[in-house]
């Protein structure tokens, strides 16, 4: 019997054909034994029809998923200035046939391997921003520069939506990945996060750190070497308390989506709730300012700040985690799309771990800056994902 990792889409369809062949043989046996009962004949006809429908269904599903994952008909992004007719068109134009972002375990095995290969490609390619690091570290640098103005504030969700889109673009355009950014639905693993297939050494992001320095030593990301604040191994240190899974269960998330009436209520509940607990549950790169569990000294400029994920984006798991955060925002928006695709509030920034409260009001015209990763956009440009700029859905 084939194990899970060797089972392909073709194997699934083949099972249907084997079922059909079996039923045909049963029908022949019945005919050869001169069984002519109307009930038996009806049974044979029903079973044969069911087998045919099963094969057609499998083929249709595989074809649909393949098409959605590899093709879109979106127009190229519009380059427009604030207030121009083209910009207004961009903000409301629906991307035709937007790409479908899928949960990690929904991807075919070869697509998972291709995704991880593209991540390794970025980590082995030179910077395109003139830095003495890697292309992957360009994303670390950009996030670092924008950290204080893009976390625990209203712009957090729009900024990260645009940021992870640039990461997807790099995987596809620079490293040959043919699919789209996947998300990790950690609610599926909340009962036992450490056993999630996301940590597979064969079809995932490698597992927990295993050395005294919490270095990831097995799997496809074992040799990844983040460069900030100084070069070091990729670290993980899963929290002993079930990776805090009780704080990001499906009921908690669904309660937030159903109960939050305003963007501010939803965003703050998500960012300071499940989002933060995932970072702390994974440990290593994820939970501390320089994300090294204190093993690397903090430069003086950052010693005043101890937020959860200042450099958590050094771990590639960050991007599938934040695709899930983006998906949950997307789900909340689409419960009342007429209102929530424009719902962006001016709530004050909450004080957190020594940071001062920022009472500056915000608007849909607020800029989204990426420090060289992409051109500057406005919050209003990314409120909907199904436009010519982003062109994806969940």
């Amino acid at each position: 019997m084939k194990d899970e990792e060797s089972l392909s889409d073709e194997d699934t369809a083949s099972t249907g054909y084997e079922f059909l062949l079996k039923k045909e043989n049963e029908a022949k046996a019945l005919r050869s034994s001169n069984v002519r009962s109307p009930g038996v004949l009806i049974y044979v006809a029903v079973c044969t029809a069911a087998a045919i429908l099963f094969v057609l269904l499998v083929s249709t599903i595989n074809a649909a998923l393949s098409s959605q994952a590899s093709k879109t008909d979106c127009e190229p992004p519009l380059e427009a200035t604030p207030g121009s007719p083209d910009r207004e068109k961009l903000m409301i134009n629906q991307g035709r046939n937007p790409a479908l972002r899928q949960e990690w375990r929904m991807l075919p095995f070869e697509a998972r391997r291709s995704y991880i290969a593209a991540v390794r490609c970025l980590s082995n390619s030179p910077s395109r921003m003139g830095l003495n690091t890697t292309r992957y570290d360009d994303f670390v640098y950009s996030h670092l520069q924008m950290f204080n103005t893009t976390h625990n504030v209203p712009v957090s969700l729009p900024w990260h939506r645009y940021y992870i889109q640039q990461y997807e673009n790099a995987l596809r355009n620079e490293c040959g990945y043919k699919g789209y950014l996947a998300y990790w639905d950690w609610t599926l693993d909340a009962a036992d996060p450490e056993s999630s297939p996301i940590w597979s050494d064969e079809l995932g992001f490698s597992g927990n750190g295993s050395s005294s320095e919490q270095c990831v030593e097995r799997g496809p990301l074992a040799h990844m070497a983040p460069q900030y604040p100084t070069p070091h191994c990729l670290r993980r240190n899963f929290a002993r308390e079930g990776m805090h899974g009780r704080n990001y269960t499906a009921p908690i998330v669904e309660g937030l989506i159903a109960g939050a009436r305003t963007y501010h209520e939803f965003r703050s509940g998500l960012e300071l709730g499940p989002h933060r607990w995932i970072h702390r549950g994974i440990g290593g790169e994820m939970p501390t300012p320089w994300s090294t569990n204190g093993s690397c000294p903090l430069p003086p400029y950052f010693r005043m700040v101890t937020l959860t994920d200042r450099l958590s984006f050094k771990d590639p798991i960050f991007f599938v985690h934040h695709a899930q955060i983006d998906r949950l925002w997307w789900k909340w928006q689409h419960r009342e799309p007429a209102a929530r695709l424009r719902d962006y509030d001016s709530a004050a920034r909450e004080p957190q771990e020594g940071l001062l409260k920022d009472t500056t009001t915000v608007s849909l015209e607020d800029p989204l800056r990426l420090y060289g990763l992409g051109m500057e956009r406005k919050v209003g440009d990314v409120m909907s994902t199904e436009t010519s700029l982003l062109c994806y859905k969940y």
Side-chain angles (χ1 to χ4, degrees):
M1 180 179 293
K2 296 186 178 182
D3 58 29
E4 177 186 5
E5 293 186 1
S6 64
L7 188 64
S8 66
D9 296 336
E10 290 79 7
D11 292 326
T12 305
S14 174
T15 302
Y17 288 112
E18 291 172 358
F19 178 62
L20 175 60
L21 182 60
K22 177 181 177 181
K23 293 304 176 183
E24 288 180 345
N25 289 335
E26 289 178 356
K28 290 178 181 178
L30 287 171
R31 287 193 297 269
S32 65
S33 61
N34 296 318
V35 176
R36 293 292 184 267
S37 169
V40 172
L41 294 176
I42 292 174
Y43 169 77
V44 172
V46 169
C47 288
T48 303
I52 294 172
L53 288 174
F54 175 79
V55 172
L56 291 175
L57 179 61
V58 169
S59 300
T60 301
I61 291 175
N62 287 337
L65 289 176
S66 176
S67 175
Q68 286 180 305
S70 62
K71 296 181 180 179
T72 65
D73 296 324
C74 295
E75 299 172 354
L78 293 170
E79 307 295 344
T81 56
S84 71
D86 280 347
R87 174 126 192 284
E88 293 302 313
K89 179 182 177 183
L90 180 147
M91 293 170 70
I92 64 174
N93 180 45
Q94 294 294 307
R96 296 190 301 273
N97 190 26
L100 176 66
R101 286 185 177 174
Q102 297 176 283
E103 209 275 337
W104 179 255
R105 65 204 92 193
M106 291 176 63
L107 297 179
F109 296 152
E110 188 55 39
R112 296 184 219 177
R113 295 187 181 98
S114 177
Y115 182 99
I116 296 298
V119 173
R120 296 180 63 180
C121 165
L122 291 180
S123 69
N124 291 320
S125 300
S127 167
R128 293 196 174 194
M129 295 169 57
L131 304 174
N132 189 29
T133 54
T134 70
R135 179 57 169 153
Y136 185 89
D137 289 298
D138 286 349
F139 290 87
V140 179
Y141 176 82
S142 173
H143 197 286
L144 177 60
Q145 297 303 314
M146 295 302 300
F147 185 90
N148 283 338
T149 57
T150 57
H151 291 75
N152 205 33
V153 287
V155 78
S156 174
L157 296 183
W159 188 86
H160 282 88
R161 173 171 282 179
Y162 188 39
Y163 174 71
I164 65 174
Q165 177 66 43
Q166 305 311 305
Y167 184 73
E168 176 188 283
N169 293 345
L171 293 176
R172 288 171 51 80
N173 299 334
E174 300 172 29
C175 287
Y177 178 57
K178 302 302 183 183
Y180 297 89
L181 188 61
Y183 63 90
W184 171 32
D185 184 359
W186 20 256
T187 68
L188 300 175
D189 304 309
D192 186 12
E194 193 167 350
S195 298
S196 171
I198 203 79
W199 310 121
S200 168
D201 289 341
E202 174 66 21
L203 294 168
F205 289 74
S206 301
N208 198 11
S210 57
S211 70
S212 60
E213 295 184 352
Q214 302 159 2
C215 297
V216 173
E217 297 183 328
R218 301 190 313 274
L221 302 183
H223 300 294
M224 194 169 181
Q227 298 297 299
Y228 291 96
T230 58
H232 62 281
C233 65
L234 178 65
R235 294 184 174 98
R236 293 188 186 132
N237 184 25
F238 293 169
R240 294 179 180 178
E241 298 180 0
M243 296 180 70
H244 302 301
R246 65 182 181 275
N247 297 298
Y248 45 86
T249 63
I252 289 175
V253 170
E254 292 303 323
L256 179 61
I257 294 174
R261 305 311 305 167
T262 66
Y263 171 78
H264 169 67
E265 186 179 351
F266 174 78
R267 193 269 313 162
S268 60
L270 180 62
E271 190 171 10
L272 300 179
H275 161 261
R276 174 188 282 187
W277 286 113
I278 286 290
H279 282 275
R280 293 185 174 181
I282 294 172
E285 306 292 346
M286 294 288 271
T288 60
W290 281 92
S291 301
T292 55
N293 284 355
S295 60
C296 290
L298 289 174
Y301 174 73
F302 297 110
R303 287 176 185 163
M304 70 179 74
V305 181
T306 56
L307 282 177
T308 298
D309 65 343
R310 175 175 286 283
L311 279 178
S312 55
F313 33 90
K314 293 182 297 181
D315 190 333
I317 201 69
F318 172 93
F319 292 95
V320 291
H321 166 45
H322 268 271
Q324 163 75 344
I325 297 297
D326 183 59
R327 169 179 171 263
L328 298 180
W329 180 29
W330 183 90
K331 290 182 67 175
W332 181 82
Q333 288 181 305
H334 282 78
R335 286 178 70 92
E336 299 179 17
R340 293 181 178 179
L341 289 175
R342 311 299 295 167
D343 187 357
Y344 179 67
D345 66 13
S346 58
R349 176 177 183 164
E350 299 87 348
Q352 180 188 357
E353 301 183 20
L355 289 182
L356 299 177
K357 177 182 282 190
D358 179 0
T359 57
T360 303
T361 58
V362 298
S363 79
L364 292 171
E365 292 297 311
D366 286 346
L368 301 175
R369 299 187 178 96
L370 293 177
Y371 269 78
L373 284 180
M375 70 175 294
E376 182 176 308
R377 294 289 183 178
K378 303 295 181 182
V379 169
D381 296 339
V382 301
M383 291 298 290
S384 171
T385 67
E386 297 179 46
T387 66
S388 55
L389 174 62
L390 301 177
C391 199
Y392 67 85
K393 62 182 179 180
Y394 292 99

